[in-house]
Amino acid sequence: MSDVPDSKIHNEAIEIHCYFVRHRNALAVRAQFSELYTDFYLHLMQHGLRYDAAPDQLLKDGLAALTLHLASRPRTEATAWTMNFQDPLLNLFVTGSSRQGIVTGRAFTEDVKKGDKNLFFSQVTEEGREARQSTIEFDEPDVFRAVETYYQLSEQRPARYFRHDEEDFVMLTAQPDCDMPWFLTLDDESIKRLDEEEELSLLEVRKYRFECGCSIDRIYPIIASLPPESIDDLFSSEDTANAQCPRCGATFKMTREGFDAFVADRPK
């Protein structure tokens, strides 16, 4: 990619349907993720990225889990989750904003610190409020079970994830006076009959798409904050350098001329 960004074409948004399960006092959030996953793979191809099977599946599950979570929360929230898995050893990062209707993420498989426990880090930002952060441990190397543990320990209310179909997922969260014996005995098969066996009221439909929003104009300030000697080292071999977005892994090719023009045009 050059350091002159092309006009942005938004990816296709998927619809997230939010239902209230009457007489059970639970919130059901459901979406089909095929189109979002397609845009995710197009992103990988565009930037020459490739994950092995395990990181690839974990990242897809992470995008689905986060998107359903966001749709169940206030529209003013943005959330970032980092999951440190010990087997396979990797860091999974997913983030999204309901204000913008976007989700993105990446997996880090190199230089990952080996530890004793799987760790889950969450940061939630909301307009007009201080950022909220929490860290919990989880056992299973499974994104959905990790998020369920996060809900139990940090959100302090139960949540469950189910696979309705291969790329069709459902998230249920318990509301006040939820029918907990029913909630806790649900499984993937009973979720497939939820429409038939329970009374569902559609609360809202939200839209989310796979998109980071990164650009060379957002990378330049990060580079400009480095010490002068580090900037010189970056461009030492030639007048171009590659910079990678920490959120989605997108690679931008910077020219020294373009960077110097950015610095010269910045307000003093």
Side-chain angles (χ1 to χ4, degrees):
M1 297 183 65
S2 72
D3 58 357
V4 179
D6 296 327
S7 298
K8 182 62 183 175
I9 300 176
H10 291 310
N11 292 331
E12 192 71 25
I14 62 170
E15 291 188 345
I16 318 292
H17 291 79
C18 304
Y19 301 92
F20 182 68
V21 187
R22 297 177 63 86
H23 314 298
R24 301 294 191 182
N25 291 339
L27 178 68
V29 185
R30 179 183 176 186
Q32 165 62 248
F33 283 86
S34 298
E35 292 182 355
L36 189 144
Y37 287 161
T38 296
D39 288 330
F40 162 66
Y41 282 120
L42 289 174
H43 169 81
L44 296 184
M45 291 175 58
Q46 179 184 2
H47 295 283
L49 301 172
R50 186 184 179 118
Y51 296 115
D52 291 337
D56 180 86
Q57 188 60 55
L58 288 171
L59 182 49
K60 288 168 62 180
D61 289 349
L63 291 169
L66 178 69
T67 305
L68 295 177
H69 165 79
L70 287 169
S72 74
R73 300 292 301 165
R75 288 181 178 269
T76 53
E77 282 190 0
T79 297
W81 290 341
T82 299
M83 303 177 209
N84 170 236
F85 290 90
Q86 292 301 307
D87 186 18
L89 186 62
L90 63 88
N91 286 333
L92 182 72
F93 175 78
V94 289
T95 185
S97 167
S98 288
R99 297 189 295 269
Q100 299 172 287
I102 61 174
V103 293
T104 192
R106 64 179 299 188
F108 296 85
T109 58
E110 298 180 358
D111 301 320
V112 180
K113 184 177 180 180
K114 182 70 175 176
D116 298 326
K117 298 286 186 178
N118 300 319
L119 296 175
F120 188 110
F121 305 90
S122 171
Q123 182 178 66
V124 181
T125 58
E126 188 173 2
E127 294 176 349
R129 296 188 178 184
E130 292 186 2
R132 306 191 303 276
Q133 301 185 35
S134 61
T135 304
I136 60 105
E137 297 177 356
F138 63 94
D139 296 324
E140 296 183 56
D142 181 297
V143 167
F144 297 121
R145 305 294 83 79
V147 179
E148 290 173 354
T149 302
Y150 161 74
Y151 260 83
Q152 179 183 359
L153 299 179
S154 188
E155 296 285 332
Q156 297 184 343
R157 60 191 178 99
R160 300 190 65 194
Y161 283 87
F162 303 91
R163 192 180 296 271
H164 192 276
D165 205 343
E166 184 176 356
E167 295 180 344
D168 188 343
F169 302 96
V170 180
M171 172 189 177
L172 261 72
T173 56
Q175 305 302 302
D177 299 322
C178 178
D179 183 345
M180 293 307 298
W182 166 84
F183 183 89
L184 294 173
T185 53
L186 289 168
D187 57 24
D188 286 346
E189 291 305 312
S190 58
I191 283 296
K192 294 178 180 179
R193 303 189 303 271
L194 192 66
D195 294 14
E196 305 168 5
E197 298 180 350
E198 303 297 335
E199 185 178 347
L200 305 182
S201 298
L202 180 63
L203 297 177
E204 64 174 325
V205 177
R206 296 192 188 182
K207 293 185 177 182
Y208 294 84
R209 64 186 183 275
F210 180 86
E211 188 173 305
C212 179
C214 60
S215 68
I216 193 65
D217 290 330
R218 294 190 175 187
I219 299 293
Y220 277 152
I222 300 174
I223 303 301
S225 67
L226 298 174
E229 57 271 20
S230 297
I231 297 174
D232 290 337
D233 289 342
L234 190 63
F235 292 100
S236 60
S237 59
E238 51 189 44
D239 286 336
T240 62
N242 290 329
Q244 193 174 64
C245 174
R247 291 160 48 96
C248 71
T251 300
F252 297 89
K253 180 173 288 187
M254 303 181 298
T255 65
R256 185 65 193 245
E257 180 182 5
F259 175 74
D260 290 342
F262 164 80
V263 173
D265 290 342
R266 281 198 307 174
K268 303 300 182 184

